[in-house]
Amino acid sequence: MPEQESKGDPAPATEMSEAVSRRAFAARVGLGAVGACYAAAFGYPVYRYLAAPARDAAELAAITEVTIPRENIPPAGSVLMFKFGAKPAMLIHHADGGKVCFSAVCTHLGCTVQYQAAEDHIHCACHGGVYDSRTGKNVSGPPPKPLPRFDVIEETPDGPVVVKRV
Amino acid sequence: MAQSSSSVSDAPPRGPIYEWLNDRLGLDWFLAFARKKTVPDHAHTFWYYWGGISLFFFVVQLVSGILLLMYYRPGEQAYDSVREITYAIDFGWLIRSAHSWSANLMVLAVFIHMFSVFFMKAYRKPREFGWWSGLVLLGLTMVFGFSGYLLPMDDLAYFATQVGLNIPKSLPGMGPIIEQLVQGGPDVSSVTIQRFFALHVVVLPLVFLGVLAFHLWLVFKHGSALPPSEEVKPEPQRRSIPFFPNFMLKDLAMWLFALNLLTLLAFLYPWPLGPQADPLAAAPEGIHPEWYFMSQFQALKVIGRYVPGMAGELLGIGLFSMGGVLWGLIPFFDTRKAGAARARAITWFGLAVVLGLAALTVMGYWEVWSVAE
């Protein structure tokens, strides 16, 4: 606006319109700053309010180990699905007595995977991903990474089984 | 593109984004319309802001209400979910406090708006439908308040709803209708919460938005009314300011003031949550309805002293209903043709209504507090 007014005007007028535009600029910056303060003052509580459950879940997920009572350990050749923090995990008790534990969240798009005892592999029904049931390695299908593995610690043959984040 | 910008020669040059939108949406038309619209400027202009302030609080209600919906669970878990919102979820207390405070401020603003319209005689031709749609909005606002009050299901909510629903039950034939259709049983229960919830968050907003759109369209169509003291002035002596941007900026300033006030109240006086409703517990001493139902509550109490029993209730409800109908018919009595004497009488009548409602409200609080002590 001021540029238009100053076109062809003598010098004093130009100076004045420059002063006005400087004032207008300062007003705009000031108004913008106040507006940003308001937006922050109202946006922050709303953000925290909406994010509260996610924060609680993250706190829950921050655990490093889960203790499974012996009586919950499945018979050989089957699987126990359980929650490790907020996410599903699987403890596979192989026919030969070996126990391995993985995150049960498919590394492709987050579906919960299943242990198929007949084929002795881990399968994801969503997009047909297959993982090795002993190493968790992605064998076929779309999964880009192996399933994260947990350490399985058995201090006594009859005591509880502790599953730990590696 | 260049054509449209040169065709409006007196409009200041705008950025390419404005031009891009203008070519597709015709923004110039809206701006020209908004500039042409003017708002009268006189000693009583202050009262023109109250419709806008009511609207502002309604918008706050929509936003804070949607946020509360993220965690509120109607039915059996209502109280627990409100307790979670108030004590466990970050800033939940603030959002709930803002919703409750804004509800009260909205009712207050709507009342001020109504009485300012009344005393400016802005219900006269051609604005009768503005008056009627405004009264409908006032009624909806009060039903909003009544239905929202139950949702936390604390002891006050429970007994207030119980009492509030028992009043119309005294009307002949209304008992079974209220029990079957509104309350969903012989008492206020989780079934009632579920119904009030549906009413409060779906039915009322839908109806309210429709009537509000009609009301605002009328405001734009007819503009702000002149009070009689201005109407008598000859045209050249009347002053006005453009709606856009002058009046709109003032409106926005009032909204900012309303927002600051609401924030202060919500922060400094967080809305309390009472103990969970227990139908076996006695109603707390000094229990009373929200301030905007206090005058009706007190009127029933007073009438009950002179006309005990059902007859008193009926008389009270009858008087208030008749008053409401008369209030709605005012545009037919107080026309410009009806003359100055009647206009003055109506103004005195309005003053009597304001004073009567205020006196009943004060009396109600006086009795409630003296019982509580």
Side-chain angles (χ1 to χ4, degrees):
Chain A
M1 276 177 282
E3 295 84 35
Q4 221 186 17
E5 285 163 20
S6 65
K7 241 181 246 168
D9 282 350
T14 314
E15 263 169 32
M16 203 179 98
S17 69
E18 263 175 19
V20 167
S21 83
R22 207 175 296 146
R23 192 187 297 159
F25 175 75
R28 230 172 255 187
V29 169
L31 221 74
V34 172
C37 286
Y38 265 90
F42 288 94
Y44 178 70
V46 170
Y47 168 76
R48 286 279 303 272
Y49 174 79
L50 291 174
R55 186 208 56 195
D56 293 349
E59 271 171 18
L60 197 66
I63 58 153
T64 55
E65 61 173 60
V66 169
T67 303
I68 303 168
R70 176 62 61 175
E71 60 266 28
N72 288 11
I73 298 301
S78 61
V79 68
L80 170 75
M81 303 297 292
F82 65 99
K83 267 201 160 178
F84 194 102
K87 302 262 186 175
M90 65 201 313
L91 178 84
I92 302 174
H93 191 177
H94 282 291
D96 61 9
K99 296 187 188 77
V100 283
C101 183
F102 305 108
S103 152
V105 180
C106 183
T107 57
H108 177 220
L109 290 173
C111 292
T112 299
V113 296
Q114 54 181 298
Y115 173 60
Q116 293 184 325
E119 289 86 7
D120 192 23
H121 68 204
I122 299 166
H123 168 75
C124 179
C126 288
H127 301 94
V130 176
Y131 302 87
D132 185 288
S133 69
R134 283 169 197 273
T135 62
K137 197 181 166 337
N138 43 328
V139 188
S140 73
K145 286 187 299 192
L147 291 171
R149 199 182 158 148
F150 301 126
D151 281 338
V152 179
I153 301 159
E154 287 180 279
E155 285 191 340
T156 58
D158 300 321
V161 175
V162 175
V163 175
K164 253 189 168 157
R165 219 180 268 284
V166 178
Chain B
M1 296 241 299
Q3 246 181 344
S4 72
S5 61
S6 63
S7 65
V8 192
S9 54
D10 55 338
R14 293 174 188 278
I17 296 174
Y18 178 86
E19 289 306 335
W20 191 89
L21 290 171
N22 186 32
D23 287 340
R24 287 154 184 85
L25 304 174
L27 299 184
D28 277 345
W29 182 86
F30 286 104
L31 275 185
F33 177 77
R35 275 219 187 76
K36 212 169 62 192
K37 206 92 199 142
T38 59
V39 178
D41 188 25
H42 48 76
H44 309 293
T45 301
F46 173 71
W47 303 106
Y48 289 144
Y49 296 118
W50 288 93
I53 294 172
S54 312
L55 177 63
F56 172 75
F57 284 126
F58 176 68
V59 173
V60 172
Q61 287 311 86
L62 282 187
V63 175
S64 56
I66 289 169
L67 287 172
L68 288 175
L69 270 180
M70 304 284 155
Y71 298 111
Y72 178 73
R73 298 187 297 274
E76 296 284 357
Q77 295 183 324
Y79 181 79
D80 286 336
S81 68
V82 176
R83 198 173 47 193
E84 264 174 43
I85 291 172
T86 313
Y87 298 114
I89 313 259
D90 295 339
F91 291 102
W93 64 273
L94 181 62
I95 305 228
R96 176 168 171 256
S97 188
H99 193 71
S100 302
W101 272 111
S102 173
N104 280 276
L105 292 173
M106 178 179 161
V107 176
L108 181 68
V110 169
F111 267 110
I112 295 177
H113 179 46
M114 179 184 75
F115 281 114
S116 59
V117 164
F118 182 88
F119 289 115
M120 283 209 229
K121 306 210 177 282
Y123 45 72
R124 284 175 170 179
K125 191 191 166 190
R127 296 189 178 79
E128 293 94 331
F129 278 98
W131 177 248
W132 295 325
S133 56
L135 288 183
V136 172
L137 290 173
L138 169 71
L140 289 172
T141 303
M142 292 179 83
V143 182
F144 257 125
F146 183 68
S147 57
Y149 200 75
L150 173 67
L151 298 184
M153 200 52 169
D154 58 4
D155 59 350
L156 281 180
Y158 174 78
F159 286 110
T161 309
Q162 189 84 342
V163 172
L165 288 180
N166 263 317
I167 292 171
K169 264 194 212 166
S170 63
L171 292 177
M174 279 300 277
I177 291 182
I178 287 186
E179 278 192 7
Q180 288 159 12
L181 299 185
V182 181
Q183 210 162 258
D187 274 310
V188 172
S189 66
S190 57
V191 178
T192 323
I193 300 183
Q194 196 86 31
R195 287 177 188 204
F196 275 38
F197 176 69
L199 187 73
H200 190 80
V201 307
V202 181
V203 181
L204 287 174
L206 278 178
V207 178
F208 194 96
L209 283 170
V211 182
L212 179 64
F214 177 63
H215 193 73
L216 290 178
W217 173 71
L218 287 172
V219 172
F220 262 86
K221 186 170 165 58
H222 298 304
S224 303
L226 284 172
S229 59
E230 285 290 309
E231 249 178 3
V232 294
K233 286 185 188 168
E235 190 89 44
Q237 280 181 30
R238 295 182 198 160
R239 283 177 302 139
S240 65
I241 58 172
F243 174 78
F244 183 85
N246 306 43
F247 188 78
M248 213 181 88
L249 283 176
K250 290 184 176 197
D251 241 352
L252 285 177
M254 293 303 279
W255 289 20
L256 196 60
F257 179 77
L259 180 66
N260 290 343
L261 175 72
L262 170 64
T263 311
L264 269 181
L265 288 172
F267 250 106
L268 297 180
Y269 306 100
W271 207 262
L273 179 66
Q276 184 161 17
D278 177 4
L280 295 180
E285 281 298 340
I287 185 169
H288 61 88
E290 286 287 83
W291 62 270
Y292 45 89
F293 290 119
M294 191 53 133
S295 56
Q296 294 98 303
F297 176 75
Q298 184 62 23
L300 282 181
K301 265 195 351 195
V302 171
I303 293 169
R305 275 172 213 155
Y306 300 102
V307 189
M310 278 280 262
E313 297 263 297
L314 285 179
L315 182 66
I317 297 170
L319 280 178
F320 263 93
S321 311
M322 275 234 316
V325 171
L326 277 180
W327 199 243
L329 293 178
I330 290 261
F332 292 124
F333 296 123
D334 186 18
T335 56
R336 282 188 194 80
K337 274 187 212 150
R342 188 179 285 183
R344 260 197 307 280
I346 293 287
T347 300
W348 283 112
F349 171 68
L351 272 175
V353 168
V354 175
L355 288 177
L357 291 179
L360 280 170
T361 305
V362 169
M363 210 168 130
Y365 275 103
W366 183 270
E367 285 187 10
V368 161
W369 284 335
S370 55
V371 165
E373 278 164 17

